[in-house]
PDB file of all heavy atoms in Angstrom:
ATOM      1  N   GLN A  30      28.093 -13.121 -26.496  1.00  0.00           N
ATOM      2  CA  GLN A  30      27.649 -14.306 -27.123  1.00  0.00           C
ATOM      3  C   GLN A  30      28.595 -14.797 -28.270  1.00  0.00           C
ATOM      4  O   GLN A  30      28.940 -16.146 -28.152  1.00  0.00           O
ATOM      5  CB  GLN A  30      26.284 -14.132 -27.736  1.00  0.00           C
ATOM      6  CG  GLN A  30      25.687 -15.369 -28.357  1.00  0.00           C
ATOM      7  CD  GLN A  30      24.412 -15.112 -29.084  1.00  0.00           C
ATOM      8  OE1 GLN A  30      24.208 -14.101 -29.673  1.00  0.00           O
ATOM      9  NE2 GLN A  30      23.530 -16.142 -28.999  1.00  0.00           N
ATOM     10  N   PRO A  31      29.204 -14.065 -29.136  1.00  0.00           N
ATOM     11  CA  PRO A  31      30.090 -14.594 -30.133  1.00  0.00           C
ATOM     12  C   PRO A  31      31.308 -15.272 -29.488  1.00  0.00           C
ATOM     13  O   PRO A  31      31.830 -16.335 -29.977  1.00  0.00           O
ATOM     14  CB  PRO A  31      30.493 -13.440 -30.929  1.00  0.00           C
ATOM     15  CG  PRO A  31      29.450 -12.455 -30.804  1.00  0.00           C
ATOM     16  CD  PRO A  31      28.902 -12.564 -29.343  1.00  0.00           C
ATOM     17  N   GLY A  32      31.883 -14.648 -28.429  1.00  0.00           N
ATOM     18  CA  GLY A  32      33.017 -15.260 -27.759  1.00  0.00           C
ATOM     19  C   GLY A  32      32.751 -16.631 -27.131  1.00  0.00           C
ATOM     20  O   GLY A  32      33.413 -17.602 -27.276  1.00  0.00           O
ATOM     21  N   ILE A  33      31.564 -16.679 -26.411  1.00  0.00           N
ATOM     22  CA  ILE A  33      31.116 -17.920 -25.792  1.00  0.00           C
ATOM     23  C   ILE A  33      30.835 -19.025 -26.860  1.00  0.00           C
ATOM     24  O   ILE A  33      31.333 -20.136 -26.748  1.00  0.00           O
ATOM     25  CB  ILE A  33      29.845 -17.741 -24.959  1.00  0.00           C
ATOM     26  CG1 ILE A  33      30.221 -16.876 -23.807  1.00  0.00           C
ATOM     27  CG2 ILE A  33      29.120 -19.020 -24.519  1.00  0.00           C
ATOM     28  CD1 ILE A  33      28.922 -16.416 -22.962  1.00  0.00           C
ATOM     29  N   ASN A  34      30.186 -18.618 -27.936  1.00  0.00           N
ATOM     30  CA  ASN A  34      29.835 -19.598 -29.000  1.00  0.00           C
ATOM     31  C   ASN A  34      31.001 -20.026 -29.824  1.00  0.00           C
ATOM     32  O   ASN A  34      31.102 -21.094 -30.173  1.00  0.00           O
ATOM     33  CB  ASN A  34      28.735 -19.010 -29.930  1.00  0.00           C
ATOM     34  CG  ASN A  34      27.373 -18.975 -29.279  1.00  0.00           C
ATOM     35  OD1 ASN A  34      27.131 -19.709 -28.307  1.00  0.00           O
ATOM     36  ND2 ASN A  34      26.458 -18.187 -29.859  1.00  0.00           N
ATOM     37  N   SER A  35      31.991 -19.061 -29.939  1.00  0.00           N
ATOM     38  CA  SER A  35      33.209 -19.445 -30.701  1.00  0.00           C
ATOM     39  C   SER A  35      34.045 -20.501 -29.827  1.00  0.00           C
ATOM     40  O   SER A  35      34.617 -21.405 -30.474  1.00  0.00           O
ATOM     41  CB  SER A  35      33.996 -18.283 -31.177  1.00  0.00           C
ATOM     42  OG  SER A  35      34.559 -17.567 -30.040  1.00  0.00           O
ATOM     43  N   ILE A  36      34.080 -20.285 -28.596  1.00  0.00           N
ATOM     44  CA  ILE A  36      34.838 -21.276 -27.774  1.00  0.00           C
ATOM     45  C   ILE A  36      34.111 -22.627 -27.854  1.00  0.00           C
ATOM     46  O   ILE A  36      34.756 -23.648 -27.999  1.00  0.00           O
ATOM     47  CB  ILE A  36      34.797 -20.797 -26.291  1.00  0.00           C
ATOM     48  CG1 ILE A  36      35.778 -19.571 -26.178  1.00  0.00           C
ATOM     49  CG2 ILE A  36      35.359 -21.881 -25.380  1.00  0.00           C
ATOM     50  CD1 ILE A  36      35.749 -18.822 -24.919  1.00  0.00           C
ATOM     51  N   LEU A  37      32.810 -22.625 -27.816  1.00  0.00           N
ATOM     52  CA  LEU A  37      32.056 -23.926 -28.011  1.00  0.00           C
ATOM     53  C   LEU A  37      32.341 -24.512 -29.324  1.00  0.00           C
ATOM     54  O   LEU A  37      32.597 -25.697 -29.457  1.00  0.00           O
ATOM     55  CB  LEU A  37      30.577 -23.650 -27.794  1.00  0.00           C
ATOM     56  CG  LEU A  37      29.631 -24.846 -28.049  1.00  0.00           C
ATOM     57  CD1 LEU A  37      29.924 -25.952 -27.062  1.00  0.00           C
ATOM     58  CD2 LEU A  37      28.186 -24.467 -28.029  1.00  0.00           C
ATOM     59  N   GLY A  38      32.328 -23.709 -30.444  1.00  0.00           N
ATOM     60  CA  GLY A  38      32.572 -24.104 -31.702  1.00  0.00           C
ATOM     61  C   GLY A  38      34.017 -24.749 -31.839  1.00  0.00           C
ATOM     62  O   GLY A  38      34.183 -25.823 -32.525  1.00  0.00           O
TER      63      GLY A  38
END
Side-chain angles (χ1 to χ4, degrees):
Q30 185 186 31
I33 291 171
N34 286 343
S35 66
I36 291 169
L37 176 61

